[in-house]
Amino acid sequence: MSELAGKSALVTGGGSGLGRAIALRFASEGASVTVAGRRRQALEAAAGEGSGRVAAVAGDVTREDDRARFVEAALRPSGTLDILVNAAGILEAGSLRSTTHEAWDRSLDVNLRSIYALTRLAAPHLEEARGSILNLSSVAGLRPYPGLLAYCVSKAALDQLTRCLALELAPLGVRVNALNPGVVVTDLHRAGGMSAEDYAAFLERGKTTHPLGRVGRPDDVAAFALFLSSDRAGWVTGGTFSVDGGRALASAR
C-alpha cells in the first residue's frame, strides 16, 4: 500500500537537490505534491517526473505574496494540506570578518525567517488535517564548522524553531521534525560559490570525514523524510535527526 495515498504535500526548494528527491519520493507513495521554488524550468522538470502527481509553482520563499500562492496551490488538489516540507535554503560561506551584513541577513531570511513565515500561513490547514512539518536543516546546525558562520547559525536556529513549534503544535495534532544531513551530492555547494574542481575534491574528502566512508545521496534523505511524514512516525515530534553517515560524531578535519 502506498504510504502517502490521499495526502497533499507542499515542498519548497522542490526543483533540485533534496527537495526534488523528497517530492518525487512522496509522489511515488501516492501523495499529491506541489513543488515550489525560484527556478520555474527546474520545477517543471521535476513535475514531469512525478507521474502526474507533482505540480509546480514558481516564486520566492522570502516574499509574502509568493508564500501565500504556494499554500493556495498546495490546497488545490483536495482542499487540504497534510505535509509541509521546508527544503529551500542557501549556503553562504564566510567568517566573522568576511561575512557581510547583507550575506548574514540573506542567510537568516532564507534559512529561517521564510520557514517561520510559511509555517504560519500553512499551520491552520495542517491543524485541520492533523498533519506534519519537516524542516531540512544540516549537520551544521548540530556542530560548528569554520568558514560557515551565517549558515551554521541559521541551521542551529532552525533546529530550535523545530523544537519550539513541535511543543506548540502538539496539542493541535501537528508533528514537527527536522533532518540534519551531512554532505549530500546536490548543487548546494556549487550554488554557494564552490568551483567544480574544489567541489570534486570536497566530495572525495568526504569519504574520510564521514565515518561510513561516503557522502550521501538525495535518496538517503528522502527515505527518512518519507518515514517522518508518514503515519509510521505518528508518535515522533520535536526531533532533529542526523542523516549524515556519522559526520556529526567525527572530529573536525
Side-chain angles (χ1 to χ4, degrees):
M1 179 181 294
S2 297
E3 292 204 52
L4 300 182
K7 303 287 188 181
S8 174
L10 171 59
V11 181
T12 67
S16 63
L18 298 182
R20 180 188 181 113
I22 290 169
L24 293 178
R25 184 63 183 269
F26 282 10
S28 74
E29 291 292 336
S32 297
V33 184
T34 300
V35 288
R38 292 179 299 170
R39 295 182 293 172
R40 182 180 298 277
Q41 188 173 2
L43 293 168
E44 291 176 350
E49 294 183 28
S51 303
R53 294 187 177 277
V54 179
V57 54
D60 189 332
V61 293
T62 67
R63 293 176 55 89
E64 182 68 16
D65 55 344
D66 285 348
R67 290 190 293 261
R69 288 194 304 106
F70 295 164
V71 174
E72 290 169 5
L75 290 170
R76 284 188 197 121
S78 62
T80 62
L81 179 59
D82 301 281
I83 304 164
L84 171 62
V85 179
N86 291 300
I90 59 171
L91 188 153
E92 297 267 7
S95 63
L96 176 62
R97 293 184 181 275
S98 64
T99 300
T100 64
H101 292 301
E102 292 77 13
W104 176 271
D105 289 345
R106 188 163 51 246
S107 293
L108 272 293
D109 197 17
V110 176
N111 294 347
L112 183 65
R113 186 180 183 278
S114 71
I115 292 174
Y116 151 78
L118 181 58
T119 300
R120 280 189 55 146
L121 287 173
H125 307 289
L126 293 164
E127 292 166 15
E128 184 176 349
R130 299 182 72 82
S132 68
I133 300 167
L134 182 62
N135 295 324
L136 267 290
S137 184
S138 168
V139 65
L142 302 175
R143 53 169 291 180
Y145 290 89
L148 293 175
L149 179 62
Y151 185 71
C152 289
V153 170
S154 69
K155 293 301 187 178
L158 178 57
D159 287 348
Q160 185 69 333
L161 176 64
T162 298
R163 289 185 284 264
C164 289
L165 290 177
L167 194 60
E168 181 174 332
L169 297 178
L172 302 171
V174 178
R175 301 183 299 104
V176 190
N177 292 289
L179 287 179
N180 297 69
V183 175
V184 180
V185 180
T186 68
D187 62 358
L188 179 66
H189 291 85
R190 292 297 310 283
M194 188 177 288
S195 70
E197 183 178 66
D198 288 345
Y199 186 54
F202 177 68
L203 294 180
E204 184 64 26
R205 190 167 64 251
K207 295 177 181 178
T208 63
T209 58
H210 295 71
L212 284 181
R214 68 170 176 89
V215 297
R217 298 180 292 263
D219 284 347
D220 292 324
V221 180
F224 207 160
L226 172 63
F227 168 72
L228 288 175
S229 302
S230 73
D231 291 341
R232 288 188 294 154
W235 209 46
V236 180
T237 196
T240 50
F241 297 95
S242 297
V243 189
D244 65 354
R247 182 69 182 99
L249 304 174
S251 299
R253 304 185 194 182

